Amino acid sequence: MRKHMGRTACLIISMLLLLSGCGGEGSTGASEEFFAMDTYMRITVYGDDAEEMAEEAKDEIERIEALLSITGESEIAVINAEGEGDVSDETRGVLERAIEIGKLTEGAFDITIYPVVDAWGFFSGDYRVPDEEEIGELISHTGIENISISDDNSVTFAQQGMGIDLGGIGKGYAGQRVHDLLADYGVSSALMELGGNVCLLGAKPDGSLWRVGIMSPFDDSERIGVIEAEDVSIVTSGGYQRYFMEDGVVYHHIIDPSTGFPADNGLASVTVVCSDGLLADALSTALFVMGEDGACSFWKENGGFEMLLVTDDERIIVSSGVADFFQPEDGYITEVVSR
Ligand code: ADP
Ligand code: MG
């Protein structure tokens, strides 16, 4: 996938430390650690055949990467190169969900953001700040209404210069697939750490809740607190995860589709807790774009997920469903948003 940056390595290592000791006493777990989808991943499976199950999980991630990545010969890469292409039923399913979430979030989540993300250099690693004119031109080649999927799974664009970027949803989908695959095999306890995405299968082997550390968006050696949960995905998006600096300004990888510039709506990070991993991933990106007020209104109107927002001015806002399961570190005060 894309060029990986050292910062991601720091992030994952901090996350691994936060999660260490999760296994509980007497549990036998097996882990696979690997690099995929442009990030470090670790999958830990508990119970019988744990080793074999962890290998199956890794294979499943790699299979999905080969389908959805923007590089190589993936179905998506072919569409982006040719301007059209045929997709499998599985890829079609992911595209349709992405488009549906794009509508639900009124364009805050937009997989056609591809040419804009590309212009900023986030795919190649050759970072640059495009000028307003270029951004304006590129933005006119985005919008999910410009993607068509025919009955026989052929994907076409209404305009030239369009492309698809599943970077905001792919890891969430992959985590959910692995969760479901392991559950089908009878596994009742597993932990998937896919970069900033955590997907939990069941509870810890001793039956207690997992404790997932939420990192500070301001200092990656610190966490702001812990969420206790079972059998959900916990996905964090933030401008601190991938960025470059030019002339003292930070430019990060989550683009506000309405401006074509990195989203700058008062949030430093967004964590979404949801039993649907794909939705958790897409919403963490979308809510980051929406900002505090937009995210709170969206949660009140739609529900089906819980969230934790960290604002640029270092406030923590949690939705009522997760408030009792979040333990802030000393010094952090949380505000609870209720319906
Ligand atoms: P990460 O994948 O780094 O954990 P996200 O899930 O927030 O973080 O996804 C960000 C990625 O999604 C970007 O690197 C880019 O490829 C893509 N992207 C950026 N802005 C948007 C957007 N508004 N809607 C959908 N995808 C986006
Ligand atoms: Mg996302």
Side-chain angles (χ1 to χ4, degrees):
M1 302 249 311
R2 281 167 258 155
K3 288 272 177 310
H4 155 256
M5 304 200 315
R7 190 159 174 87
T8 314
C10 300
L11 292 177
I12 190 75
I13 288 161
S14 335
M15 202 168 72
L16 299 181
L17 290 175
L18 296 175
L19 286 158
S20 62
C22 277
E25 248 173 66
S27 59
T28 46
S31 288
E32 282 284 339
E33 285 176 40
F34 53 100
F35 190 80
M37 297 187 160
D38 208 27
T39 194
Y40 284 100
M41 300 194 169
R42 180 165 75 173
I43 295 177
T44 307
V45 183
Y46 296 93
D48 297 341
D49 305 323
E51 222 160 281
E52 192 189 322
M53 291 294 107
E55 272 172 41
E56 290 268 354
K58 179 182 177 213
D59 291 349
E60 178 67 355
I61 300 268
E62 287 170 350
R63 186 188 68 77
I64 293 168
E65 179 175 22
L67 216 55
L68 306 182
S69 152
I70 51 147
T71 56
E73 297 289 301
S74 85
E75 294 181 3
I76 297 299
V78 169
I79 294 171
N80 289 346
E82 311 278 330
E84 60 183 357
D86 296 329
V87 292
S88 56
D89 287 343
E90 182 174 2
T91 300
R92 181 196 182 107
V94 175
L95 288 174
E96 284 178 342
R97 288 221 58 206
I99 291 168
E100 176 197 316
I101 297 167
K103 288 181 188 154
L104 187 70
T105 61
E106 295 176 2
F109 185 76
D110 185 349
I111 54 168
T112 67
I113 202 69
Y114 177 90
V116 182
V117 176
D118 191 29
W120 284 94
F122 285 110
F123 297 137
S124 64
D126 298 328
Y127 303 116
R128 58 188 278 274
V129 180
D131 63 31
E132 302 255 357
E133 197 185 329
E134 183 182 354
I135 291 286
E137 163 67 12
L138 290 170
I139 277 204
S140 69
H141 299 297
T142 62
I144 46 174
E145 66 282 2
N146 293 320
I147 310 178
S148 305
I149 310 177
S150 71
D151 290 344
D152 61 353
N153 287 9
S154 159
V155 177
T156 50
F157 297 127
Q159 297 177 15
Q160 296 223 317
M162 289 186 60
I164 292 171
D165 173 12
L166 296 176
I169 205 173
K171 290 195 297 265
Y173 173 68
Q176 189 66 44
R177 282 293 300 218
V178 169
H179 170 283
D180 297 350
L181 179 87
L182 294 177
D184 283 349
Y185 278 124
V187 174
S188 57
S189 179
L191 170 66
M192 281 71 82
E193 298 158 79
L194 318 181
N197 291 29
V198 174
C199 180
L200 308 170
L201 168 57
K204 289 205 298 196
D206 66 5
S208 62
L209 297 176
W210 302 98
R211 291 171 53 78
V212 178
I214 307 301
M215 280 189 333
S216 164
F218 310 110
D219 178 351
D220 63 24
S221 66
E222 272 190 24
R223 64 184 186 192
I224 55 160
V226 168
I227 291 179
E228 288 195 315
E230 64 178 329
D231 214 41
V232 287
S233 287
I234 301 180
V235 178
T236 301
S237 284
Y240 65 94
Q241 284 173 328
R242 187 183 300 272
Y243 64 87
F244 67 96
M245 275 182 89
E246 198 173 294
D247 298 331
V249 180
V250 172
Y251 298 96
H252 63 70
H253 68 139
I254 302 177
I255 304 295
D256 183 338
S258 68
T259 64
F261 281 78
D264 185 17
N265 296 318
L267 293 179
S269 72
V270 172
T271 301
V272 170
V273 182
C274 183
S275 58
D276 176 341
L278 177 148
L279 184 61
D281 197 359
L283 288 183
S284 69
T285 309
L287 299 180
F288 185 86
V289 170
M290 289 179 199
E292 177 181 344
D293 292 347
C296 290
S297 307
F298 184 87
W299 175 79
K300 286 179 190 168
E301 279 161 31
N302 294 282
F305 70 96
E306 299 299 330
M307 63 179 191
L308 182 153
L309 313 176
V310 182
T311 63
D312 285 339
D313 55 7
E314 302 197 29
R315 289 175 298 119
I316 300 177
I317 297 150
V318 288
S319 58
S320 53
V322 78
D324 290 344
F325 298 94
F326 175 64
Q327 294 147 11
E329 289 288 312
D330 285 350
Y332 283 101
I333 296 167
T334 58
E335 299 163 36
V336 179
V337 49
S338 306
R339 282 203 178 75

